Amino acid sequence: MSYEFLGERLLRAVRKPHRCEACGTMIHARQPAVYCSTIQDGDFFGWYSHPECRVAETDWNKRRGPWGNGSWCDEDYCWLFQAVDGEPIEQAWMVANHPIAAGRLRLSIEGCSRAESGHWRWAA
């Protein structure tokens, strides 16, 4: 699989609505956005994200360590919306460090508790 990240740029305001690829909610006209582009296996892909979602997604992937190694996400790069299906400790980290993006994903620290082993778990 060939992959080339072409770049990203911050747009002060989009002209028309776009769906944020990171969180799935809408970026409305006249709101800021980040536009990213890649080439994968010869095909061009471009997408928009909220600036806060892009920062959270990038930070989360850096935190995971070597992409695709030792994580529940078997891809090289995990999208922000995949945090909802992630480990509770990652969800708690997202809420604490990126509250705007976590709010768009409807993640909340409520319902999360620390197990006897010291690891986070969802309360029943």
mmCIF file of all heavy atoms in Angstrom, residues 1 23 29 50 69:
data_model
loop_
_atom_site.group_PDB
_atom_site.id
_atom_site.type_symbol
_atom_site.label_atom_id
_atom_site.label_comp_id
_atom_site.label_asym_id
_atom_site.label_seq_id
_atom_site.Cartn_x
_atom_site.Cartn_y
_atom_site.Cartn_z
ATOM 1 N N MET A 1 0.840 -1.173 0.000
ATOM 2 C CA MET A 1 0.000 0.000 0.000
ATOM 3 C C MET A 1 0.889 1.240 0.000
ATOM 4 O O MET A 1 1.748 1.396 0.851
ATOM 5 C CB MET A 1 -0.904 -0.012 1.228
ATOM 6 C CG MET A 1 -1.727 1.218 1.389
ATOM 7 S SD MET A 1 -2.746 1.104 2.861
ATOM 8 C CE MET A 1 -3.824 2.441 2.562
ATOM 9 N N CYS A 23 -14.791 14.006 13.478
ATOM 10 C CA CYS A 23 -15.852 13.785 14.469
ATOM 11 C C CYS A 23 -17.206 13.463 13.855
ATOM 12 O O CYS A 23 -18.102 12.988 14.542
ATOM 13 C CB CYS A 23 -15.971 14.994 15.388
ATOM 14 S SG CYS A 23 -16.708 16.457 14.608
ATOM 15 N N ALA A 29 -20.781 26.930 7.096
ATOM 16 C CA ALA A 29 -20.195 28.019 6.315
ATOM 17 C C ALA A 29 -19.738 29.126 7.254
ATOM 18 O O ALA A 29 -20.371 29.387 8.281
ATOM 19 C CB ALA A 29 -21.219 28.559 5.325
ATOM 20 N N HIS A 50 -12.656 20.041 11.736
ATOM 21 C CA HIS A 50 -12.586 21.187 12.638
ATOM 22 C C HIS A 50 -11.134 21.323 13.089
ATOM 23 O O HIS A 50 -10.461 20.298 13.290
ATOM 24 C CB HIS A 50 -13.450 20.961 13.887
ATOM 25 C CG HIS A 50 -14.908 20.899 13.639
ATOM 26 N ND1 HIS A 50 -15.616 19.705 13.650
ATOM 27 C CD2 HIS A 50 -15.802 21.886 13.402
ATOM 28 C CE1 HIS A 50 -16.879 19.960 13.421
ATOM 29 N NE2 HIS A 50 -17.033 21.265 13.261
ATOM 30 N N ASN A 69 0.995 -0.379 15.990
ATOM 31 C CA ASN A 69 1.678 -1.366 16.835
ATOM 32 C C ASN A 69 1.136 -1.328 18.255
ATOM 33 O O ASN A 69 1.132 -0.284 18.885
ATOM 34 C CB ASN A 69 3.188 -1.102 16.882
ATOM 35 C CG ASN A 69 3.825 -1.301 15.533
ATOM 36 O OD1 ASN A 69 3.354 -2.096 14.733
ATOM 37 N ND2 ASN A 69 4.894 -0.575 15.270
#
